[in-house]
Amino acid sequence: MNKVHYDVVCAVVRRDGDFLCMQRLKRGPGYVAAHWEFPGGKVKVGESREHALIREIKEEMDWDIYVGRQLGQVEQEYPDFTITLTAFDCMAHDFGFRLLAHTDYRWLPYDSLDTLEWTEADRKIIQQLGR
């Protein structure tokens, strides 16, 4: 049986050297529920990754961002689906976002990111950021 595959994008947002980390809602499979991630979501058919990221951040955080260069890309297989996760360097004029699809957020320096329980795909992105 073939697993469903998703094309997913995430925003790597920095403020004063710290990274924006978002905690997922406590629903869904245990291997992603309440785990930490960079904000983003699924790309719709016919949509560019950059446009998908702008749309997802607006929907999930009521926040307008600017999408910059691609920072990394990983493939991840989970028990019931697979994803290609593409990370982009993003900026915003302000940090007045809302938690519409997350339970918590933190701003952390790179060397403290490993203190959170990240989704596996986002953990791989963090490793790419450290190169």
Side-chain angles (χ1 to χ4, degrees), residues 22-92:
M22 305 297 292
Q23 187 174 30
R24 294 174 60 94
L25 296 175
K26 295 174 180 155
R27 66 177 187 216
Y31 52 85
V32 292
H35 284 57
W36 291 81
E37 66 180 1
F38 294 113
K42 297 174 190 151
V43 179
K44 293 180 179 178
V45 175
E47 186 177 43
S48 73
R49 287 180 168 139
E50 292 84 356
H51 184 267
L53 191 50
I54 290 167
R55 176 186 52 75
E56 285 284 344
I57 298 300
K58 187 66 174 176
E59 290 174 3
E60 293 186 354
M61 301 170 71
D62 191 23
W63 197 29
D64 295 315
I65 61 165
Y66 299 94
V67 179
R69 68 183 180 92
Q70 181 177 317
L71 296 174
Q73 186 176 72
V74 299
E75 302 287 330
Q76 180 63 44
E77 183 172 344
Y78 291 104
D80 52 350
F81 63 92
T82 63
I83 68 169
T84 299
L85 178 61
T86 307
F88 290 90
D89 190 18
C90 295
M91 298 181 346

Side-chain angles (χ1 to χ4, degrees), residues 104-131:
D104 198 7
Y105 74 95
R106 295 196 186 141
W107 292 97
L108 292 176
Y110 181 83
D111 58 4
S112 295
L113 293 177
D114 63 356
T115 63
L116 302 177
E117 187 176 2
W118 290 86
T119 67
E120 282 306 311
D122 287 86
R123 185 180 308 284
K124 289 179 180 179
I125 290 292
I126 290 169
Q127 290 170 352
Q128 289 185 3
L129 294 175
R131 291 187 191 149

